[in-house]
Amino acid sequence: MFLTCMETVTKELVSWMRGHESSVFSISVHASGKYAITTSSDTAQLWDLDTFQRKRKLNIRQSVGIQKVFFLPLSNTILSCFKDNSIFAWECDTLFCKYQLPAPPESSSILYKVFAVTRDGRILAAGGKSNHLHLWCLEARQLFRIIQMPTKVRAIRHLEFLPDSFDAGSNQVLGVLSQDGIMRFINIQTCKLLFEIGSLNEGISSSAISPHGRYIASIMEDGSLNIYSVQALTQEINKPPPPLVKVIEDLPKNKLSSSDLKRKVTSGRVQQPAKSRESKIQTRILKQDLTGDFESKKNELPDGLNKKRLQILLKGYGEYPTKYRMFIWRSLLQLPENHTAFSTLIDKGTHVAFLNLQKKYPIKSRKLLRVLQRTLSALAHWSVIFSDTPYLPLLAFPFVKLFQNNQLICFEVIATLIINWCQHWFEYFPNPPINILSMIENVLAFHDTELLQHFIDHDITSQLYAWPLLETVFSEVLTREEWLKLFDNIFSNHPSFLLMTVVAYNMCSRVPLLNCNLKDDFEFFFHHRNNLDINVVIRQVYHLMETTPTDIHPDSMLNVFVALTKGQYPVFNQYPKFIVDYQTQERERIRNDELDYLRERQTVEDMQAKVDQQRVEDEAWYQKQELLRKAEETRREMLLQEEEKMIQQRQRLAAVKRELKVKEMHLQDAARRRFLKLQQDQQEMELRRLDDEIGRKVYMRDREIAATARELEMRQLELESQKRLYEKNLTENQEAVAKEMRADADAYRQKVDLEEHMFHKLIEAGETQSQKTQKVIKENLAKAEQACLNTDWQIQSLHKQKCDDLQRNKCYQEVAKLLRENRRKEIEIINAMVEEEAKKWKEAEGKEFCLRSAKKASALSDASRKWFLKQEINAAVEHAENPCHKEEPRFQNEQEDSSCLPRTSQLNDSSEMDPSTQISLNRRAVEWDTTGQNLIKKVRNLRQRLAAQARHRCQTAHLLAA
């Protein structure tokens, strides 16, 4: 595995760093940007970013893996966290183990996976696969709080403190990204949930917070990038700075239990931890001196600092704390941090004046060279004079080396230095600032006349004993720590402090300077480090600031501190514009002339190169032609020699061919004879083999024929036995079927004969009965016929069921069809019989009525006959008593009377029965006779059809059985 370092602006590869055998999952860079630590699962390596060489390597046992190794902010301490929960602190320079954190309590022991450190490096937050957070105090080296997250949190994936401009690096808000994709921000002091980002539907995969804590960038699980504004999420983060006087709580001396350390995160009321009865917290209250005067508004600095108090602190300690120095410098210089304006200057690219910077200032670290080049280019784009200032790289280099990881701060520090501490430096451009050097010389003349006279005696001007210190801002004559201590005082005082420092440096070095007599010695002294205590120089500067008269004091001629404007940088035009413009024009003209000269020289060189190339090509062509000619002659001679050799070889080959031909003929003759003999032997062997094969075939054929005959006999016996068995079974089946069919046929014939006998008997009985019993006979006949039909249908149904049992597998559809047809016909016959029965009942009623009428007519006829006989008898009696009486009239009257009698009888008949009724009755009687005959015919036809169907079914059953 290897690491690649890329240039972000030019996107070029800077270096390769090899050494890891497994994948690298963590990279930590030192605050100075000089060192970096890369971590893999098996090792951690410390790299020097100036040379890109490995400095140290941390090796561990295979059983104990590395979890994370990183630098603590603003310190030289390396913190290494292993998978067995052991945490060690190492010194960066010597890699000496400073301390080891104790093991966490067993009641809340978790495997640490993620870590976060506050900006001041005092508090370490650790978490893992649990909802507990452990907060370690790195100064006291003990676990001082356990925070329990909500129950929804089962594992912690990422931890990061939220920076605040007012907390001086002691961050109080911690961002916790859990397994559910929600990042919760809590206050580690109050354990209160302030706000959260992300949701279950839109989970966060990873997150990062801007250096100033204004924005939160989150990569969501769906691949999108969300930017959150902290100011919009909560107002509590942007609260005003707390007062400088506050209550400081000392950590308890005795060890607290895990239950005393544990606190739960709440979104409402803040829960306080339970206090131990045994441990008493000692508090010290720093009371503010109310009698003192309020500080003036001009001494108030950003981030809650005060310039006067910083000066008091500086005079007391001589320098600012290392971990807070950059923070204090930024507050003292009131840097606006104009990202947009700086990006605009950077986007313009490298300035023409600094394209070949590495030739004049060869710096070993390529990274430092690139940062210096970009910073100088940005200054040149800001003001054109800086592109022609020869000492600008010397002035900017110490600040570039100090702020190489933050180019914006580096640029603004240099710009602020130029505007305030480099006032009037460019009024005599391109010459050194004579006015500034005169101020230094006047102060030196007032405080150390002897030293100044020594400089004058040896022709040493201020351009030699003052200007080298100013243009390099003492970076050549001081070490890093001394230079930082000096600029702590320079940035905390008036801009004239820098000039007084030059005078103090000369005065504190007066002994070696008075011993120098050569100019080269003076030049060497002011360009190299000397054995000088910087604290003495600083005290001398403060003494000079206080004792220098006002008329020669530089602060009367220099303006007070002015910070850079926010948003856009101010215009810098404190230089002789016409000289700069003239130099720029001249430089541009010279550059153009030089470019023209270079183009012409390049053209001439190209032409000369073409001519030389053509001459070389011509010479090579001539040489090649000569070589080809010589080669051609050589090849011709070789061809002639080869032809002679070929002729000789052909002759030898012809002789050899003749000899070979003779030998071939002899060999062919011998081979032919051997082949004929071999062929004859083979034919004999083939004949013997064929004879053997024929004999074997005959023997096998006889054996197969005998075996086949035996098999056929056995097969014939088996077939005979099977045939007898089949015939027996078939006979038994046929006899059973025939017996059943004969029984069914006999039963059916008996039923039919019985029905026919009964039917004929009924018919004969009906014909022999008299007219009076005709009605009863016909009714009985109808009932008998109905009963016969019902019986026939029942018999037919039973017969059909038996037939269905025999052929239900294949003839079920046909039987069902016949059943449906029979049911339909049966319904038709039943309906016809019902209708016929109703008609017969009506006809019987009509005939009964006719019978009563006939009886009445017979009674009338008897009465008329009796009356006629009575009249005849009476007439005979009268005739016997009176023979003379005329008979003609009486006879006529008798006729008339007799004619009257039928009419009377007719009237009587008419009164008894209507002729139309009599006609209808007669017609009905005739119709009944016709209907009865038709019904009898239909019944006979139906019986015939049923018999035919039964025969057909029997035949089908026999066929199925066969």
Side-chain angles (χ1 to χ4, degrees), residues 201-205 218-226:
N201 296 328
E202 296 181 357
I204 297 176
S205 177
S218 299
I219 299 176
M220 313 306 288
E221 292 179 352
D222 57 358
S224 61
L225 178 64
N226 291 359

Side-chain angles (χ1 to χ4, degrees), residues 833-855:
M833 293 296 293
V834 171
E835 293 177 359
E836 200 63 39
E837 182 180 2
K839 290 179 181 180
K840 287 183 178 182
W841 280 111
K842 290 181 180 179
E843 187 176 356
E845 290 177 357
K847 288 188 176 183
E848 186 176 0
F849 181 75
C850 292
L851 181 60
R852 288 196 301 270
S853 300
K855 288 181 178 179

Side-chain angles (χ1 to χ4, degrees), residues 104 174 210 284 370 536 871 913:
L174 177 63
S210 62
R284 294 180 289 115
R370 288 193 303 273
V536 176
Q871 289 293 330
M913 182 182 294

Side-chain angles (χ1 to χ4, degrees), residues 125-333:
K129 197 172 182 181
S130 173
N131 64 342
H132 286 186
L133 277 176
H134 288 186
L135 298 181
W136 293 86
C137 179
L138 298 181
E139 292 181 344
R141 303 173 188 175
Q142 67 177 359
L143 179 68
F144 74 93
R145 182 164 298 154
I146 299 174
I147 300 177
Q148 182 177 358
M149 298 297 293
T151 56
K152 297 179 181 178
V153 178
R154 298 190 303 273
I156 298 174
R157 293 163 50 189
H158 180 66
L159 292 174
E160 188 169 0
F161 281 97
L162 183 64
D164 192 356
S165 302
F166 306 107
D167 57 8
S170 58
N171 310 128
Q172 302 297 318
V173 180
L174 177 63
V176 182
L177 177 61
S178 56
Q179 87 289 342
D180 55 1
I182 300 176
M183 192 168 187
R184 299 170 176 87
F185 288 83
I186 61 173
N187 191 308
I188 61 175
Q189 297 298 332
T190 63
C191 296
K192 182 179 180 181
L193 179 62
L194 302 179
F195 63 94
E196 60 184 26
I197 59 177
S199 62
L200 295 176
N201 296 328
E202 296 181 357
I204 297 176
S205 177
S206 61
S207 183
I209 303 175
S210 62
H212 301 286
R214 298 173 184 172
Y215 303 101
I216 303 172
S218 299
I219 299 176
M220 313 306 288
E221 292 179 352
D222 57 358
S224 61
L225 178 64
N226 291 359
I227 307 296
Y228 299 93
S229 173
V230 176
Q231 185 178 4
L233 289 172
T234 178
Q235 296 298 328
E236 188 176 355
I237 305 301
N238 299 320
K239 62 185 178 181
L244 295 178
V245 178
K246 60 182 179 180
V247 177
I248 301 176
E249 295 183 0
D250 292 335
L251 291 171
K253 295 182 180 179
N254 58 338
K255 189 174 181 181
L256 299 178
S257 62
S258 61
S259 61
D260 298 329
L261 298 175
K262 187 179 296 185
R263 298 175 68 178
K264 294 184 178 180
V265 175
T266 60
S267 58
R269 184 178 179 182
V270 180
Q271 297 181 2
Q272 300 295 336
K275 296 183 179 179
S276 175
R277 295 181 179 179
E278 299 177 358
S279 62
K280 295 182 179 180
I281 299 177
Q282 299 178 359
T283 61
R284 294 180 289 115
I285 301 177
L286 302 178
K287 296 184 178 179
Q288 187 178 5
D289 187 7
L290 301 176
T291 61
D293 296 332
F294 290 99
E295 296 294 335
S296 59
K297 192 173 182 178
K298 65 179 181 179
N299 291 325
E300 295 294 335
L301 298 175
D303 299 329
L305 300 180
N306 187 279
K307 188 173 182 180
K308 284 293 183 182
R309 294 182 180 179
L310 289 175
Q311 289 175 349
I312 295 171
L313 178 66
L314 184 62
K315 288 181 179 179
Y317 292 96
E319 61 178 336
Y320 293 126
T322 303
K323 63 173 66 175
Y324 300 115
R325 176 177 280 121
M326 301 299 107
F327 175 71
I328 295 173
W329 281 17
R330 291 164 64 180
S331 299
L332 288 171
L333 300 179

Side-chain angles (χ1 to χ4, degrees), residues 727-738:
E727 287 178 354
K728 181 180 179 182
N729 294 333
L730 184 60
T731 304
E732 291 177 355
N733 293 332
Q734 287 180 354
E735 288 179 355
V737 173

Side-chain angles (χ1 to χ4, degrees), residues 559-759:
N559 298 326
V560 296
F561 175 81
V562 178
L564 296 177
T565 56
K566 196 168 184 63
Q568 294 293 334
Y569 297 115
V571 178
F572 185 81
N573 54 4
Q574 300 175 8
Y575 56 88
K577 192 173 184 301
F578 67 95
I579 295 178
V580 175
D581 293 343
Y582 176 76
Q583 287 186 349
T584 303
Q585 292 174 3
E586 286 296 317
R587 188 177 291 104
E588 188 66 26
R589 184 183 61 79
I590 294 172
R591 185 180 293 109
N592 293 332
D593 293 343
E594 185 178 1
L595 291 175
D596 294 340
Y597 168 74
L598 291 175
R599 282 196 296 270
E600 291 178 359
R601 189 176 69 179
Q602 185 66 30
T603 303
V604 172
E605 290 178 354
D606 293 342
M607 293 178 64
Q608 184 65 32
K610 289 182 180 179
V611 171
D612 295 341
Q613 183 179 2
Q614 186 65 34
R615 185 176 65 255
V616 170
E617 290 179 355
D618 292 342
E619 291 178 357
W621 186 80
Y622 285 127
Q623 292 177 0
K624 189 175 182 180
Q625 292 296 324
E626 183 67 21
L627 292 174
L628 290 174
R629 186 182 62 78
K630 292 181 179 179
E632 184 178 0
E633 292 178 356
T634 304
R635 297 296 186 279
R636 286 179 179 176
E637 293 177 358
M638 291 174 63
L639 285 173
L640 292 174
Q641 294 176 2
E642 291 295 331
E643 287 180 356
E644 291 178 358
K645 291 179 181 180
M646 185 70 67
I647 293 171
Q648 295 176 1
Q649 288 179 358
R650 285 178 180 176
Q651 292 176 356
R652 287 195 296 270
L653 285 174
V656 171
K657 283 182 179 180
R658 285 194 296 272
E659 293 177 358
L660 290 175
K661 195 70 174 174
V662 173
K663 290 181 180 180
E664 182 181 1
M665 292 175 63
H666 291 298
L667 290 174
Q668 286 179 355
D669 188 21
R672 183 177 62 80
R673 287 195 297 271
R674 285 196 303 272
F675 177 73
L676 290 176
K677 182 141 186 344
L678 179 62
Q679 189 175 10
Q680 185 178 0
D681 295 339
Q682 287 179 352
Q683 288 179 356
E684 293 177 354
M685 290 176 61
E686 186 68 21
L687 288 175
R688 287 194 297 272
R689 187 181 63 80
L690 289 175
D691 292 338
D692 296 338
E693 185 69 21
I694 290 170
R696 188 175 62 83
K697 290 286 186 181
V698 170
Y699 175 73
M700 292 296 295
R701 184 189 60 187
D702 295 338
R703 291 186 60 184
E704 288 178 358
I705 290 172
T708 304
R710 287 193 296 272
E711 289 179 358
L712 289 176
E713 290 177 358
M714 294 297 295
R715 184 64 178 168
Q716 185 67 26
L717 294 175
E718 290 178 359
L719 292 175
E720 289 292 336
S721 62
Q722 289 179 1
K723 180 179 178 182
R724 294 191 187 95
L725 181 61
Y726 290 156
E727 287 178 354
K728 181 180 179 182
N729 294 333
L730 184 60
T731 304
E732 291 177 355
N733 293 332
Q734 287 180 354
E735 288 179 355
V737 173
K739 185 177 181 180
E740 290 179 0
M741 290 180 67
R742 283 195 299 272
D744 294 339
D746 293 340
Y748 180 72
R749 270 196 307 275
Q750 290 176 3
K751 291 180 181 179
V752 171
D753 292 338
L754 180 59
E755 290 172 1
E756 290 289 337
H757 178 69
M758 291 174 66
F759 182 73

